Amino acid sequence: MAAPKDPRPCSIADTLALVGEKYSLLVLREVCLGNGRFDQLVRNIGAPRDILATRLRRLVDAGLLARQPYCERPQRFEYRPTRAGLELEPVLMTLMAWGDRHLRTDGDRPMIIEHSCGQALAPVVTCRACGDEVRHEDLTARPQAPGWTVTGPTAA
Amino acid sequence: MAAPKDPRPCSIADTLALVGEKYSLLVLREVCLGNGRFDQLVRNIGAPRDILATRLRRLVDAGLLARQPYCERPQRFEYRPTRAGLELEPVLMTLMAWGDRHLRTDGDRPMIIEHSCGQALAPVVTCRACGDEVRHEDLTARPQAPGWTVTGPTAA
DNA sequence: TACGGTGAGTTTGAATTTCCTACTCACCGG
DNA sequence: CCGGTGAGTAGGAAATTCAAACTCACCGTA
């Protein structure tokens, strides 16, 4: 999934090169839920075992997961999210919200995340500076590196 | 990329089944930037033309993109994001922010998005109800459908 | 001590996708 | 007429994925 051909330096592409392969983000979902054992992951994600092993290695190497023994004799391991891995959780929340809104009719949500404020979590992406919700019309792309051309009027 | 084996109903998995294939989110990046023409996409993304054609068909079918003629005689088309497609832009912003933070050293960001408030956009995922930034410790998973087991103490 | 079971993978060969290059088709401009 | 552009399609080689079986280490129990 490395992108040797992508002519543009881009943090979206770089991030996807790490977590954009099939199953990778579902692995993150599971470890964030606390289901970090190999066979749990196989069952819950439905991925072939060999592919899962490959993904796990990659995520550990990238520093998104840590492989921790949870019992010596017999050695057993559990995958847990690192700080960096946890920082991708908002992406998962946002994807889930999008799917709930666009892929499901009405209130048949398979999972609700409860926030500490007591409400069901409805994630909103906001601007740290002003606090407003991020909307397409409010964004303007400012390329900082060569390789970018932005044709649209408002861009982002 | 359909997930016939995934034993869990999950909006994250469903959303990724739609936009999780290689290049799909980069296509969305480009169309959000206004670069919606086929050859632009090929150049900017670095995808093989046939794969790109497949992805575009899929995204149009899913209602994330619209294929609009921008000139008759010779017929030429441009892909533009629909409302639903634009609603995935926050996901892109969040992925970009993560990549900027974890995959790059210091200030070599390839792209800065300027928000209408005048500041460089730093996207933060917040809870719509209370406005607080979403943090892992504040989340609890409440499965609504069968097929879910959540082992972790705090989950999400 | 043998027997079946679990966790965590690895191996193997077939099925699927991707990749790359070339090709098409419609048109335009000189 | 000639070369060039936009938007794809075609063909075969290369890389990935898949499913099922296999390994290895260990545990509980009978």
Side-chain angles (χ1 to χ4, degrees):
Chain A
M1 190 98 181
K5 292 287 294 296
D6 189 324
R8 302 181 145 192
C10 170
S11 290
I12 299 174
D14 293 352
T15 303
L16 288 174
L18 224 50
V19 298
E21 287 170 309
K22 199 171 174 180
Y23 307 123
S24 293
L25 284 174
L26 298 182
V27 168
L28 216 55
R29 172 194 78 185
E30 289 301 317
V31 299
C32 284
L33 286 167
N35 304 324
R37 305 185 187 178
F38 191 85
D39 280 37
Q40 270 179 329
L41 292 169
V42 169
R43 273 191 300 279
N44 294 344
I45 296 174
R49 312 174 72 78
D50 55 345
I51 305 295
L52 186 61
T54 306
R55 296 290 183 274
L56 287 169
R57 238 189 313 271
R58 188 158 173 58
L59 292 173
V60 169
D61 289 351
L64 298 183
L65 299 185
R67 183 172 179 265
Q68 294 188 334
Y70 67 88
C71 99
E72 307 283 334
R73 328 233 13 82
Q75 280 246 307
R76 289 296 143 75
F77 302 98
E78 181 173 17
Y79 294 90
R80 304 169 122 288
T82 61
R83 174 67 58 90
L86 282 179
E87 286 181 31
L88 276 171
E89 205 177 30
V91 173
L92 297 179
M93 296 299 104
T94 312
L95 285 170
M96 184 168 73
W98 190 94
D100 283 340
R101 187 157 47 242
H102 294 280
L103 266 24
R104 308 197 167 268
T105 46
D106 193 23
D108 60 341
R109 295 207 274 162
M111 169 84 106
I112 287 175
I113 304 292
E114 190 179 304
H115 191 240
S116 55
C117 72
Q119 299 295 307
L121 177 69
V124 195
V125 177
T126 58
C127 170
R128 164 133 15 232
C130 70
D132 284 359
E133 180 169 353
V134 169
R135 309 178 71 236
H136 178 69
E137 315 81 80
D138 299 329
L139 305 177
T140 313
R142 302 271 186 238
Q144 305 291 303
W148 283 95
T149 45
V150 179
T151 66
T154 82
Chain B
M1 190 97 182
K5 293 287 294 299
D6 189 324
R8 303 181 144 190
C10 170
S11 290
I12 300 175
D14 293 353
T15 303
L16 288 174
L18 223 50
V19 299
E21 288 170 308
K22 199 171 174 180
Y23 306 123
S24 293
L25 284 174
L26 297 182
V27 168
L28 216 55
R29 172 194 79 188
E30 288 302 317
V31 299
C32 284
L33 286 167
N35 304 325
R37 306 186 185 176
F38 191 85
D39 280 36
Q40 270 179 330
L41 292 169
V42 169
R43 273 191 299 278
N44 293 343
I45 295 173
R49 313 174 70 79
D50 54 349
I51 304 296
L52 186 61
T54 306
R55 296 290 182 274
L56 287 169
R57 241 189 311 270
R58 188 158 173 58
L59 292 172
V60 169
D61 289 351
L64 298 184
L65 299 185
R67 183 171 179 267
Q68 293 188 335
Y70 66 88
C71 97
E72 307 283 333
R73 329 233 10 82
Q75 280 245 308
R76 290 296 143 76
F77 302 98
E78 181 173 17
Y79 294 89
R80 304 169 123 289
T82 62
R83 174 67 58 90
L86 282 178
E87 286 182 32
L88 277 172
E89 205 177 29
V91 174
L92 297 179
M93 296 299 105
T94 312
L95 285 170
M96 184 168 73
W98 190 94
D100 283 339
R101 186 157 48 242
H102 294 279
L103 266 24
R104 308 197 167 268
T105 46
D106 192 24
D108 61 342
R109 295 207 273 163
M111 168 85 105
I112 288 176
I113 304 292
E114 190 179 303
H115 190 241
S116 56
C117 73
Q119 298 295 306
L121 177 69
V124 195
V125 177
T126 59
C127 170
R128 161 129 23 227
C130 70
D132 284 359
E133 180 168 353
V134 169
R135 308 180 69 237
H136 178 69
E137 314 83 80
D138 299 329
L139 305 177
T140 313
R142 303 270 185 237
Q144 305 291 302
W148 283 95
T149 46
V150 179
T151 66
T154 82

